[in-house]
Amino acid sequence: MTDRLKRVYIPMSETAFYILFCLRDEMHGYSITQRVKEMTDGEVVITAGTMYGSLSKMEKDGLIRFIREEDKRKLYKITELGNEILDTEIARIRRLYRNIGGK
Amino acid sequence: MSDKARMTTHKLFLLPDYEKEGEYLTKMHSVGWKLERVSGFSQHFVKCEPENVVYKLDYAANNTNYPEYIKMFADYGREHCGRVMGFDYFRRNADGLSEEEMEIFSDPQSKLDMMKRVILTRMTPLLIIFFMGILPNMYMIVVNSMNWDRSTLLFLAVLYLGVFALYVSIFIYCIRGFRKLKKKYTE
């Protein structure tokens, strides 16, 4: 199961990476977009359709889970499986970075 | 006066035409016709000041929580302005927006995902209806042709051949349209 998901999610799109990365905290769709904008100086913008589709897909794949609803907004958080996949991706990016001369 | 405050157009937008439909509505708003509602293949407009408003269609499929879906798009400044056959229509003011910000999908994968949802949950049922409904009926006509008089037979044959031709041309149109979209999204 994890192997199949790893094949699907790794290497990860920037969109998927930032969504998972943000969901280490409990958040809803629009607040993720806002935070990603701040983190990337406005260079990575995740729009409504992409956010909705990504969250639905990740929830279905068990990478994130629905926590609660607040004012018609769904709040999500990363699952253990999601963390495992995110950590694998982070290790891959670290390796890339090391090999191009970063520390 | 009152008859000029409203207008209805009847434009046929088929499954792969959702981007074209958004462009059409955007153009109409820019010349002072604001979408009031959509129904089937009709677009109902009310007169307004010409505005730079961009329209986009989404197809989410299997929405388990519709108010939450609408709310998310509202958070992003998108007003829900119609729903037909599972397609949701959103608009937002486009002043000062970049091409990228006008889109409801910010990466090519999610554009492809939407297209796949349309194919899987709209196109596939049409194909099934075709194979389960029309083809067996045509077969029955051939089998029973001995028992019917010529005029009934001719009527049924023309009817079913007509439906058959219509279906096939719609399928060909849709397949071509989806291939074009796929090419556009993957280039």
Side-chain angles (χ1 to χ4, degrees):
Chain A
M1 183 61 189
T2 321
D3 280 350
R4 187 191 71 82
L5 287 176
K6 278 186 179 164
R7 270 200 303 279
V8 173
Y9 282 95
I10 294 172
M12 209 175 272
S13 70
E14 221 168 2
T15 304
F17 180 86
Y18 278 115
I19 292 175
L20 272 186
F21 192 78
C22 286
L23 284 178
R24 295 187 302 178
D25 297 324
E26 193 180 298
M27 289 177 94
H28 63 78
Y30 187 61
S31 61
I32 298 173
T33 291
Q34 293 299 92
R35 182 172 295 174
V36 173
K37 253 190 206 167
E38 287 164 23
M39 288 166 77
T40 62
D41 294 323
E43 275 182 40
V44 177
V45 177
I46 307 171
T47 53
T50 297
M51 181 59 76
Y52 190 84
S54 301
L55 290 174
S56 310
K57 209 157 107 182
M58 286 179 174
E59 188 185 14
K60 207 178 91 210
D61 287 337
L63 268 57
I64 60 172
R65 70 167 192 278
F66 167 66
I67 301 290
R68 65 195 161 88
E69 198 175 305
E70 201 180 86
D71 191 21
K72 283 191 216 153
R73 293 186 182 97
K74 270 184 175 178
L75 285 103
Y76 293 95
K77 200 166 181 198
I78 196 166
T79 60
E80 215 170 290
L81 176 65
N83 254 320
E84 196 185 318
I85 287 179
L86 182 64
D87 286 345
T88 312
E89 177 66 1
I90 288 174
R92 190 189 69 84
I93 295 170
R94 284 223 168 93
R95 189 182 61 213
L96 260 179
Y97 184 62
R98 231 179 19 247
N99 283 319
I100 57 166
K103 279 181 195 170
Chain B
M1 181 64 201
S2 65
D3 61 330
K4 282 189 177 170
R6 283 194 154 69
M7 178 171 68
T8 298
T9 58
H10 306 281
K11 282 210 172 251
L12 189 62
F13 292 103
L14 296 178
L15 287 179
D17 297 335
Y18 48 84
E19 288 191 350
K20 284 181 202 155
E21 186 165 5
E23 283 161 19
Y24 171 68
L25 299 173
T26 302
K27 197 175 141 234
M28 289 302 281
H29 206 129
S30 75
V31 295
W33 289 105
K34 176 182 178 171
L35 184 73
E36 192 179 26
R37 62 188 179 89
V38 266
S39 56
F41 295 112
S42 302
Q43 303 82 28
H44 308 270
F45 300 95
V46 283
K47 192 98 193 90
C48 70
E49 287 300 309
E51 282 174 312
N52 187 14
V53 170
V54 63
Y55 286 72
K56 294 281 173 190
L57 274 68
D58 184 32
Y59 186 84
N62 309 322
N63 256 319
T64 47
N65 190 336
Y66 200 60
E68 185 257 337
Y69 169 70
I70 301 298
K71 176 76 175 179
M72 182 178 291
F73 276 73
D75 278 345
Y76 287 85
R78 305 227 175 225
E79 180 197 351
H80 188 255
C81 54
R83 180 177 167 86
V84 170
M85 296 268 293
F87 282 93
D88 285 286
Y89 295 62
F90 294 96
R91 69 177 156 224
R92 73 170 293 184
N93 191 297
D95 285 331
L97 289 189
S98 65
E99 276 296 313
E100 212 182 9
E101 286 168 312
M102 287 190 202
E103 294 292 329
I104 51 171
F105 296 109
S106 45
D107 71 349
Q109 185 57 47
S110 49
K111 286 185 186 177
L112 273 175
D113 287 344
M114 169 178 163
M115 192 186 93
K116 282 180 195 161
R117 287 194 294 272
V118 174
I119 292 175
L120 196 71
T121 63
R122 275 284 166 270
M123 181 87 175
T124 314
L126 282 178
L127 277 168
I128 292 170
I129 291 169
F130 178 68
F131 285 114
M132 308 268 295
I134 293 169
L135 287 184
N137 268 315
M138 289 184 77
Y139 175 74
M140 288 302 285
I141 293 173
V142 175
V143 170
N144 293 321
S145 55
M146 309 293 173
N147 312 328
W148 291 329
D149 62 79
R150 284 185 61 167
S151 57
T152 314
L153 198 62
L154 192 69
F155 171 75
L156 285 173
V158 168
L159 178 73
Y160 277 102
L161 279 177
V163 174
F164 181 78
L166 183 69
Y167 250 85
V168 169
S169 42
I170 289 174
F171 285 139
I172 292 173
Y173 180 87
C174 287
I175 289 163
R176 278 197 182 148
F178 285 128
R179 285 172 84 163
K180 261 189 229 162
L181 284 177
K182 192 182 170 191
K183 204 173 157 215
K184 188 172 148 191
Y185 298 155
T186 49
E187 254 169 13

